[in-house]
Each structure stands twice: as C-alpha cells, then as structure tokens.
Amino acid sequence: MASTIGRSGPGLLAVAGHAVYPALLPIPIVCFVGVLITDLAYIGSADMMWLDFSTWLLLAGLIGGGIVGVFLIAELVRARRGRTGALSAHFVLLLSAWIVEVFNSFVHARDGWTAVVPTGLTLSLVAVVLSLLAGWFWQSAQHRRNGATS
C-alpha cells in the first residue's frame, strides 16, 4: 500500500498515481455556490425546503473544505520555497471562504426569513466570490507549475 501513495506530477500528493487535491477542490466550491443558489430560491419562494437545502449544502461544503484544507496544507509544506505565491493566495482565499461560511452556518441556524435575508445572502455571495477566486488562483498555480505560458 505504501508504494501506491506517492506523487503525481510535480509536488502533488497522489494515490495510485492520481492527484488527490484537484479531485477534492471542487467539493467546497460547488457546495458554496449551491448555497447561494438555494438562498436565492428561498428569497423567491419563501419555501422552507430551500433553507434546508442551504443548511445541508453548508454542512457538506464545510466538511469538504476542511478535508481540502488538510490536503492543501500538506501541499504547501511539500512545495518548494520560491514557488508558493499563487498557492499561498489560493490557501488564504479558500480559508477565508471557509471562515465566512462558518459564520453563514450560524446565520442559517436562525428561524425563517432572517436566516437568509439579508445577512445569510450577503455571506453566501462573499463566500462564492472568495471560493471562485481561490479556484482561479489554483489554476494559475497549476499553469505556472506545469510551465504553461498562457
């Protein structure tokens, strides 16, 4: 088993030759975008089902983000010193989105309309922007790591 755990490409943790982090990164991003979408659906319909969906998506995104964060910290520790600029920005943005969503989960624990309007929706929007920027910085770091010029 130890021989199947190694590296895939330059600097990525891998299992059986497949990089782990890029497979896990979309989980919190998609869940956080889903929270924003279900918050907007709740505002449009006032159906409690959408608030429940938001709560479950927040939970899944926070758990997934925690797991992704552990892998990202391992990637940062393993990275070479001079090549962590975009990766560090990615980490800060993803961590910021995760922290915003922790507060958002407390806001969504309220009852009814005040769980989303206006604070929950604002926090969801901020977290989506931060997480999408984090994904963009991850792509930038990957292009630089692989030697792409465009």
Side-chain angles (χ1 to χ4, degrees):
M1 167 109 183
S3 64
T4 62
I5 299 176
R7 298 170 71 108
S8 172
L12 291 176
L13 292 173
V15 176
H18 298 284
V20 176
Y21 185 75
L24 297 176
L25 178 60
I27 294 170
I29 295 173
V30 168
C31 288
F32 296 161
V33 170
V35 172
L36 178 62
I37 292 169
T38 55
D39 282 352
L40 292 170
Y42 177 73
I43 290 171
S45 70
D47 188 354
M48 289 297 289
M49 171 189 68
W50 295 112
L51 182 58
D52 293 338
F53 286 166
S54 291
T55 303
W56 283 105
L57 283 166
L58 274 168
L59 177 65
L62 289 172
I63 291 171
I67 293 168
V68 165
V70 169
F71 277 96
L72 182 56
I73 289 170
E75 294 290 341
L76 284 170
V77 168
R78 291 171 46 128
R80 294 186 191 138
R81 288 196 175 178
R83 304 181 74 175
T84 61
L87 200 56
S88 297
H90 166 71
F91 175 73
V92 168
L93 288 166
L94 195 60
L95 179 64
S96 299
W98 192 84
I99 290 170
V100 167
E101 290 294 28
V102 166
F103 287 112
N104 198 10
S105 69
F106 291 127
V107 171
H108 274 75
R110 295 179 188 164
D111 192 25
W113 190 257
T114 60
V116 176
V117 179
T119 311
L121 181 65
T122 304
L123 291 174
S124 294
L125 184 61
V126 168
V128 164
V129 169
L130 289 171
S131 62
L132 290 176
L133 283 172
W136 184 74
F137 273 100
W138 168 254
Q139 288 298 320
S140 295
Q142 287 307 104
H143 283 312
R144 274 190 226 128
R145 176 181 281 169
N146 295 331
T149 57
S150 56

